[in-house]
Amino acid sequence: MNKMEKALHELSEMDDLAALSSPIHRLHPAAKLITTILYIVVTVSFDKYDLGGLFPMLLWPVLLFQLSGIPVRTCFYKLRIVLPLVMAVGLFNPFFDRAAMLTLGGVAVSGGVVSMLTLMLKGVFCLMASFLLMATTPIDSLCAALRRLHVPGTLVTLLLLTYRYVGVMTEELAVMTDAYHLRAPGQKGIHVSAWGSFLGQLLLRSMDRAQELYGSMLLRGYHDHFHYAPIRAFAARDGIFTIACALCFALLRFVNVGQLLGGLVMR
Amino acid sequence: MIEFQHVSFAYEKGREVIRDLSFRIGDGESVGLIGANGAGKSTVMKLMLGLVSGEGKILVDGEELTKQNLSLIRRKLGFVLQNSDNQMFMPTVYEDMMFAPLNYMLSREEAEKRVDAVLGRLGLQELKYRHNHRISGGEKRMAAIATVLAMEPEMILMDEPSSALDPYNRRLVINAIRELGQTKLISSHDLDMILDTCDRVILLSGGEIAADGPAEEILRDRALLESHHLELPLRLADK
């Protein structure tokens, strides 16, 4: 199995995760979608120096991982490519913001370091929440929920087809890399000189396949409107989950829970 | 009934791949479309389905194929692609089979009944909830046929239905094709399969009809086949 086939396999594993059964999986997709968006908005809204306030936001994904039965390590393994990029976001902050902000054990910590850590955590938390949404909700249900929330059909179809075409492109890439390596033994990766033609061919082949797929859809009556798998009605428990999560997020955002608990312990 | 009247088509100006093609396929006929690579077999199918348009007239049940009635005519024609991976784009066989009936405004209950009936007819019930990317090539081909049958088309077009299948799965597909009651147009290089499934054969060469007649007659004509880069079906060559 080459790297691309592994990637394809991992993509299909997301569908398997989404097909599991747990209290979180059984929630209405709209409830999960709304709470995930809320979580991301609240997480991002923390001040760049509010590391202490941000940290308790970790509780929500951790709790959901526990309830859904999805191991946290699966999340970090699947996000291993994206995580370093997210972590790199605030990497230069310590060089620009050198003013000491706090001292830890006699060591002065600059505002740049704090803001870097805050940015990193924000990124990691948001990725964890997004992963949870995808790992507990099949893409079709998610799209059906988006339509129920009146997101334009074109955008939703675009999302669904992009998700499907990622697999198609990866398959093409797998075949091409295999063909390349069979004629370039001992070579690691694709040589720079072949990048141009390789990408060009990939694009053409993917377009051909996408064209054929789209043709196949048209021949079976598709006319800009997808019939998503039916999703059940939004029940009271979905509402309770959404409201409870929103209240918790508000609490975590406006009350410094870490400080509060610390104060109680000190008393 | 489908009829081509003086149809010509070129992908590039001045390089016609279909030249003044005229033929007629009656209801219930089972026709094999054969020819060497580049003879124009796939293009004929694309023209029939309105995926490309050329000069001349294409009539389906006496109605000329135009942009306006394309969706109505496509409803009558089911197309099984050569590459089943390009046909099966939904996550599971079930969802793929539901795709067309739902697009044709059947209720979910009716569509589901239809899906179950087709799966039962082809003996594919165990595939129903399987993921498309986790089934074998043979299963995928049968599932692709099932997705088309769920449309209940009047005519079925198949592009190389037996390609890349092992003998067992090939036989399964052939048996399934033989049992289909609809009008069939099958494009293939597998002349043994054509012999098994078709009563009539149209031999294309350079975008023109080189021969049109009973399958038994054309597929036994060694000289004709060889002059068009084809060979006698293995079954007949042994005799």
Side-chain angles (χ1 to χ4, degrees):
Chain A
M1 201 188 276
N2 72 19
K3 276 182 188 171
M4 290 305 132
E5 282 166 328
K6 272 184 196 160
L8 203 61
H9 183 67
E10 279 191 35
L11 199 68
S12 72
E13 279 176 347
M14 288 300 287
D15 291 333
D16 294 341
L17 287 176
L20 294 174
S21 178
S22 77
I24 303 300
H25 284 83
R26 285 191 290 273
L27 281 169
H28 194 279
K32 287 184 267 183
L33 183 68
I34 292 168
T35 48
T36 305
I37 293 171
L38 274 178
Y39 177 82
I40 291 172
V41 170
V42 171
T43 303
V44 171
S45 74
F46 276 90
D47 185 79
K48 64 176 179 175
Y49 298 121
D50 194 3
L51 187 59
L54 177 68
F55 213 73
M57 290 299 286
L58 179 63
L59 288 172
W60 189 74
V62 167
L63 188 68
L64 258 63
F65 272 114
Q66 285 302 313
L67 291 174
S68 63
I70 296 171
V72 183
R73 65 171 184 279
T74 310
C75 166
F76 286 105
Y77 180 73
K78 294 215 178 283
L79 297 175
R80 65 194 180 282
I81 311 278
V82 193
L83 274 172
L85 299 174
V86 170
M87 302 283 273
V89 170
L91 218 55
F92 294 105
N93 286 22
F95 300 106
F96 298 117
D97 185 358
R98 295 179 182 195
M101 199 176 171
L102 51 100
T103 49
L104 278 177
V107 179
V109 180
S110 70
V113 172
V114 174
S115 65
M116 178 187 75
L117 290 173
T118 311
L119 272 174
M120 284 177 176
L121 282 185
K122 279 183 184 180
V124 173
F125 290 178
C126 291
L127 275 179
M128 285 170 84
S130 311
F131 173 84
L132 267 168
L133 176 68
M134 295 302 295
T136 57
T137 322
I139 186 76
D140 284 57
S141 306
L142 197 61
C143 289
L146 284 167
R147 286 298 292 136
R148 286 248 180 116
L149 295 170
H150 299 286
V151 175
T154 314
L155 282 180
V156 180
T157 305
L158 198 66
L159 171 76
L160 184 70
L161 292 183
T162 305
Y163 185 81
R164 298 269 157 77
Y165 282 141
V166 166
V168 172
M169 269 190 82
T170 316
E171 268 176 36
E172 288 298 334
L173 202 54
V175 172
M176 285 175 68
T177 44
D178 271 346
Y180 179 89
H181 288 301
L182 286 171
R183 285 183 293 154
Q187 205 179 97
K188 273 195 171 180
I190 311 289
H191 194 267
V192 182
S193 62
W195 281 12
S197 55
F198 202 84
L199 281 175
Q201 280 298 317
L202 175 67
L203 183 70
L204 290 173
R205 290 171 65 135
S206 306
M207 278 168 67
D208 275 352
R209 280 201 66 181
Q211 188 80 31
E212 196 151 319
L213 272 168
Y214 185 62
S216 159
M217 287 165 67
L218 287 178
L219 295 176
R220 287 196 276 154
Y222 175 74
H223 38 76
D224 303 332
H225 177 67
F226 245 100
H227 295 271
Y228 300 102
I231 48 174
R232 63 172 176 79
F234 199 84
R237 64 189 158 107
D238 305 310
I240 294 169
F241 172 80
T242 312
I243 293 167
C245 285
L247 289 175
C248 284
F249 297 157
L251 180 78
L252 293 170
R253 177 67 186 88
F254 297 111
V255 179
N256 193 329
V257 178
Q259 208 171 35
L260 194 76
L261 289 176
L264 287 173
V265 170
M266 292 300 281
R267 255 185 236 173
Chain B
M1 191 267 292
I2 196 154
E3 191 172 356
F4 270 46
Q5 291 182 353
H6 306 289
V7 176
S8 297
F9 175 76
Y11 286 103
E12 289 170 50
K13 211 174 176 182
R15 293 182 67 180
E16 282 189 333
V17 285
I18 298 295
R19 288 180 200 144
D20 196 28
L21 200 66
S22 297
F23 64 86
R24 185 182 163 169
I25 298 172
D27 289 339
E29 269 195 284
S30 187
V31 181
L33 195 59
I34 63 170
N37 290 331
K41 303 186 294 292
S42 299
T43 308
V44 165
M45 295 213 167
K46 284 182 184 173
L47 282 162
M48 231 176 245
L49 295 158
L51 289 173
V52 292
S53 55
E55 289 167 24
K57 277 186 184 175
I58 297 169
L59 306 168
V60 178
D61 287 338
E63 200 177 346
E64 189 180 347
L65 181 72
T66 60
K67 270 189 181 175
Q68 285 70 39
N69 62 13
L70 200 56
S71 60
L72 280 174
I73 284 181
R74 279 178 177 168
R75 192 174 181 164
K76 297 179 180 181
L77 309 173
F79 183 42
V80 181
L81 274 73
Q82 181 177 0
N83 185 349
S84 307
D85 281 326
N86 291 350
Q87 179 145 1
M88 312 282 288
F89 49 85
M90 300 292 273
T92 61
V93 172
Y94 165 73
E95 284 165 88
D96 232 306
M97 289 183 71
M98 292 285 280
F99 184 78
L102 291 177
N103 280 330
Y104 289 124
M105 299 302 162
L106 255 73
S107 71
R108 203 159 265 278
E109 291 72 34
E110 284 174 299
E112 184 131 13
K113 267 186 199 166
R114 206 185 257 195
V115 166
D116 285 333
V118 171
L119 286 172
R121 200 168 123 201
L122 296 178
L124 300 175
Q125 293 95 330
E126 81 283 2
L127 290 186
K128 188 173 176 182
Y129 296 113
R130 297 270 301 277
H131 277 89
N132 284 334
H133 60 270
R134 298 231 172 114
I135 58 179
S136 72
E139 289 172 330
K140 208 175 276 184
R141 189 65 51 88
M142 289 297 285
I145 294 173
T147 62
V148 167
L149 290 182
M151 286 172 66
E152 293 192 349
E154 289 170 20
M155 182 173 181
I156 297 182
L157 314 178
M158 295 183 169
D159 194 3
E160 297 285 0
S162 62
S163 68
L165 293 181
D166 60 42
Y168 174 76
N169 281 302
R170 178 178 166 277
R171 184 49 54 190
L172 282 183
V173 168
I174 289 173
N175 290 341
I177 294 172
R178 285 170 68 142
E179 280 170 26
L180 300 177
Q182 288 94 337
T183 307
K184 286 166 276 187
L185 179 66
I186 303 166
S187 152
S188 183
H189 289 129
D190 180 352
L191 300 190
D192 281 281
M193 189 266 296
I194 294 287
L195 195 60
D196 270 343
T197 54
C198 302
D199 321 311
R200 176 182 158 197
V201 161
I202 296 175
L203 169 61
L204 280 184
S205 178
E208 292 172 304
I209 294 181
D212 182 352
E216 282 279 343
E217 196 179 293
I218 290 181
L219 296 177
R220 280 180 193 280
D221 191 337
R222 184 191 292 264
L224 174 73
L225 294 176
E226 287 182 355
S227 65
H228 292 98
H229 299 186
L230 298 170
E231 286 178 346
L232 281 181
L234 282 174
R235 199 174 348 135
L236 299 179
D238 291 344
K239 288 177 184 169

